[in-house]
Amino acid sequence: LSPVCLGSLRRAAMKLALLRGLSDDESVVRTQLFEFWERRIPNELHERLVYILEEMCHPEAEEHWLEYAIYLLVNTFRESSEFDRPLSNRPLSACKFVESKIDSTWHQRSLPMTPLFTQDAQMSQAERDEDLNKFGSWLEGTGLILATQDNKWTLTQSLASFNSRG
């Protein structure tokens, strides 16, 4: 092996050890390695993401990649003056929560072998309308986004002209 190949093999092995150390059982080791990587990764979010995707992915350390990638991305926000500021001035105890049905089978309807008319995958139009009406009446009192529901446009063609084309 040439000295150049040997150097690149050593560099790759060292990089793998540094990446594996980010998920080490010892918190001291993890902390030191996160500090090590923080000094080398760009601060700008886009550049940081590109660096993490290009330089910190390794097939032998991929089972922990998502953990340290997210930590290193979110860690950039710690430098912001607003990081410790609450998201809302109101406590959760002052919020009004509304019970609603969530259709957890929405993703299954597009599967090619899903039966078209199954009971658990179908929600009746009346149930959907009822949920929408409950949510809409609740939203009216909050002053939120309902203004987008107004019809601010008019038809450009009448149904009579469309039907006469036959």
Side-chain angles (χ1 to χ4, degrees):
L1 289 172
S2 71
V4 174
C5 281
L6 197 55
S8 64
L9 287 174
R10 284 186 190 141
R11 197 172 310 117
M14 190 179 317
K15 183 178 179 179
L16 178 59
L18 291 169
L19 289 173
R20 283 185 174 160
L22 291 172
S23 59
D24 196 87
D25 292 336
E26 292 292 325
S27 63
V28 175
V29 173
R30 279 194 318 271
T31 302
Q32 288 178 344
L33 285 172
F34 275 113
E35 290 172 1
F36 169 84
W37 285 106
E38 281 289 343
R39 289 189 299 270
R40 282 154 182 76
I41 297 176
N43 288 328
E44 199 273 318
L45 188 60
H46 178 262
E47 293 174 11
R48 181 173 279 239
L49 177 61
V50 170
Y51 184 90
I52 290 171
L53 289 170
E54 290 179 349
E55 301 296 326
M56 297 185 74
C57 287
H58 194 286
E60 293 180 41
E62 71 179 282
E63 71 257 10
H64 297 287
W65 179 83
L66 191 59
E67 296 170 26
Y68 61 75
I70 289 174
Y71 179 85
L72 290 168
L73 283 174
V74 171
N75 207 36
T76 58
F77 302 119
R78 287 186 190 274
E79 305 301 319
S80 170
S81 61
E82 296 184 5
F83 183 76
D84 291 321
R85 187 177 63 92
L87 293 175
S88 174
N89 296 335
R90 294 175 36 186
L92 283 177
S93 60
C95 296
K96 181 179 178 182
F97 294 95
V98 178
E99 187 174 325
S100 62
K101 293 180 185 176
I102 297 175
D103 183 9
S104 62
T105 61
W106 63 268
H107 63 285
Q108 293 175 351
R109 284 191 217 119
S110 63
L111 297 175
M113 297 302 289
T114 303
L116 190 55
F117 300 104
T118 58
Q119 283 184 344
D120 55 326
Q122 298 293 320
M123 180 186 263
S124 73
Q125 187 62 41
E127 288 175 316
R128 284 192 198 106
D129 290 344
E130 181 183 339
D131 283 351
L132 189 58
N133 287 336
K134 281 182 192 174
F135 186 67
S137 63
W138 174 77
L139 271 180
E140 286 174 3
T142 64
L144 295 174
I145 307 175
L146 279 182
T148 59
Q149 300 296 317
D150 295 337
N151 288 336
K152 304 242 185 226
W153 48 273
T154 58
L155 292 174
T156 56
Q157 295 181 343
S158 70
L159 280 176
S161 66
F162 181 74
N163 289 334
S164 66
R165 292 184 201 173

